[in-house]
Amino acid sequence: MAKAPTYLIHAARVIDGTGKAPMEKASVLISEGKIVYVGPKERAPAPEGVQIIDAPDLTVMPGLIDGHNGISGSLGAVKKLRCYVQYGITTAISFHGNRQGNPTLPTRDMIERGELRGCAQLVVGHAVNCTHGHNKGRLADGPWEVRKAVREMLEQGAEFIKTAASGGFWYENESMSSPNYTQEEMNALVDETHAWGKIVGVHVHTQPGLDRAIKAGADIIYHGCQIDAAAVEKMVEKGIWYIPTLKVTHPRNIAAWVDRPWMRAEMEACTDVHREGVKLAVKLGGKVAMGSDGPGTRYTWLYGENSVFEVAELVNCGMTPLQAICASTLQTAKAYRIDHRVGSLEAGKQADILCVQGNPLEDIEQLQDQNRVSLVFLKGKVEYAGNAYRDYFSIRDEDEIKPL
């Protein structure tokens, strides 16, 4: 892979993703794909050969990380991941790693090697599910078969395991309260996954699945569209991450499913209670991260739009814009244990960076305006450029001779 250029960005402000106050008139130095310096413009080093980007109209922040996506390894995934980047999403977490016929790991690896340019990086999990369960991945019933399934999925390269403790909206022959794994099976799945040093994310909307996942020691709870206050309090007490995917129960999303009336009925019943649960989690200081359940239906969402809409939904549930940006960057990275390399603008981390016109701290919905996205860096390379910054992007694919 060709060496990444050295850039020095002089910006209107820098949001580093850690929760610290934004730095006005600040600079970011990128070299060899890593962040070297973040701080005041007047102290910024300028190495020989550096490309200086004067950006007095831009806010610089970490690339967004979407923590819940159903992206498989099909060719169509490439377009989706390119569109994600054009909205500033630099990492997408996918639970469709073992989707039948479309394994996602080869796509992840091609992006990692630089063979698929302009695509959001993937973190890939595999699903383990019971018979007649919500997830459709590796079928396993009973605690010992569940343990075997987890081992198989991790051997194949899964970076995390996803499972279900309740039904969902998608299938006509299920409901939110449909049972999935028993407590015994859930305990086995979480215990086995943790034994191999990996994390478990659990799809669950309502009781008794919520308590089963919490009691088993799940690392992440997805959705919780009918979550109760007692479950929120237990999650906060145990430090379990909550990725609520608020977009799912938003009226705009519900209205798109005209051909699935059973979905609409259950989603509509969840809109208010879902948001009350998230508001409580925020109020209690719970560990809330961002995931959009993307890519979403094409009847209402552009690829990538889900993610930035979800950031604004977190603000609507009580976060400040700064908290929502942190939840959508470093906090999601922490939830998936990738914060050592991405999620914040700190020296030594991978240079995945979003540069937008304006100030999203004043109006978080600015992130939903794709026309404001001016530069997106992946591993220190400009993989998208718009507005007055288009010249920083080259469509030419770089190649090099490998040494003998």
Side-chain angles (χ1 to χ4, degrees):
M1 189 183 299
K3 183 178 176 181
T6 299
Y7 293 104
L8 179 59
I9 309 169
H10 296 312
R13 70 195 53 79
V14 172
I15 301 168
D16 68 11
T18 67
K20 296 177 184 176
M23 294 174 277
E24 301 294 326
K25 296 182 180 179
S27 299
V28 178
L29 177 63
I30 305 165
S31 184
E32 297 185 8
K34 302 284 187 181
I35 296 167
V36 176
Y37 172 86
V38 181
K41 177 180 177 180
E42 61 271 16
R43 298 181 191 170
E48 184 178 352
V50 67
Q51 294 187 49
I52 295 176
I53 302 176
D54 284 312
D57 58 332
L58 300 186
T59 295
V60 175
M61 55 188 283
L64 300 175
I65 302 173
D66 190 319
H68 195 68
N69 296 273
I71 296 176
S72 69
S74 66
L75 286 175
V78 175
K79 177 178 180 178
K80 295 169 187 174
L81 294 169
R82 287 179 64 85
C83 290
Y84 272 41
V85 166
Q86 292 164 23
Y87 268 101
I89 301 104
T90 52
T91 300
I93 316 295
S94 176
F95 53 80
H96 267 342
N98 57 337
R99 189 75 167 181
Q100 189 172 10
N102 288 309
T104 311
L105 294 176
T107 304
R108 177 200 66 185
D109 295 343
M110 290 181 71
I111 294 169
E112 179 65 24
R113 293 192 298 266
E115 295 169 7
L116 287 175
R117 283 193 58 192
C119 292
Q121 299 151 116
L122 282 168
V123 173
V124 178
H126 286 194
V128 175
N129 58 278
C130 66
T131 298
H132 198 36
H134 176 74
N135 291 330
K136 303 300 177 187
R138 167 57 162 91
L139 184 67
D141 294 304
W144 290 107
E145 183 63 23
V146 165
R147 287 182 182 274
K148 179 181 179 181
V150 167
R151 293 168 188 162
E152 287 179 359
M153 296 303 96
L154 296 179
E155 184 177 38
Q156 289 178 17
E159 296 175 81
F160 66 96
I161 297 295
K162 184 199 176 191
T163 191
S166 80
F169 303 120
W170 187 254
Y171 301 105
E172 191 171 7
N173 61 349
E174 69 168 349
S175 72
M176 286 185 300
S177 58
S178 298
N180 274 238
Y181 275 137
T182 64
Q183 189 69 65
E184 184 182 21
E185 291 169 316
M186 185 64 69
N187 290 348
L189 186 145
V190 173
D191 180 68
E192 190 65 36
T193 306
H194 286 175
W196 292 92
K198 300 297 183 181
I199 65 170
V200 176
V202 181
H203 160 108
V204 57
H205 288 298
T206 188
Q207 297 290 8
L210 283 159
D211 278 350
R212 288 177 184 174
I214 293 166
K215 185 177 180 179
D219 302 284
I220 303 171
I221 297 292
Y222 303 124
H223 313 306
C225 294
Q226 283 278 0
I227 198 166
D228 57 282
V232 173
E233 291 167 359
K234 291 173 190 175
M235 289 168 60
V236 173
E237 180 184 351
K238 292 196 169 190
I240 296 172
W241 288 96
Y242 185 19
I243 298 182
T245 65
L246 287 155
K247 175 219 75 178
V248 171
T249 58
H250 190 277
R252 176 179 168 187
N253 188 62
I254 296 170
W257 298 108
V258 293
D259 57 340
R260 305 177 81 85
W262 64 90
M263 283 180 58
R264 296 184 67 177
E266 282 206 302
M267 287 177 173
E268 286 170 350
C270 293
T271 299
D272 293 336
V273 67
H274 193 187
R275 280 150 183 78
E276 289 305 312
V278 179
K279 288 176 183 177
L280 180 59
V282 172
K283 180 181 178 180
L284 296 178
K287 295 164 73 173
V288 179
M290 188 274 281
S292 72
D293 205 27
T297 171
R298 293 292 281 156
Y299 292 111
T300 191
W301 304 106
L302 299 172
Y303 293 141
E305 186 185 10
N306 293 266
S307 308
V308 288
F309 185 89
E310 190 73 20
V311 181
E313 280 292 279
L314 292 174
V315 173
N316 292 336
C317 285
M319 288 191 181
T320 66
L322 181 60
Q323 287 174 325
I325 288 171
C326 294
S328 307
T329 53
L330 184 58
Q331 297 308 303
T332 305
K334 286 182 176 180
Y336 285 95
R337 301 181 184 174
I338 56 173
D339 54 298
H340 58 286
R341 68 175 190 265
V342 296
S344 59
L345 303 183
E346 298 178 89
K349 284 196 175 182
Q350 191 170 297
D352 293 351
I353 299 173
L354 166 60
C355 306
V356 296
Q357 287 185 334
N359 185 359
L361 297 179
E362 295 179 351
D363 178 6
I364 198 65
E365 292 190 4
Q366 288 182 7
L367 293 178
Q368 296 180 49
D369 183 357
Q370 198 278 328
N371 291 319
R372 289 180 176 269
V373 178
S374 296
L375 289 166
V376 180
F377 294 81
L378 286 165
K379 294 184 178 179
K381 293 184 178 181
V382 177
E383 292 294 0
Y384 176 78
N387 304 314
Y389 301 89
R390 293 180 185 275
D391 288 346
Y392 289 100
F393 175 71
S394 173
I395 61 173
R396 179 178 179 272
D397 284 322
E398 297 175 342
D399 199 4
E400 61 183 350
I401 301 296
K402 291 184 177 181
L404 295 175

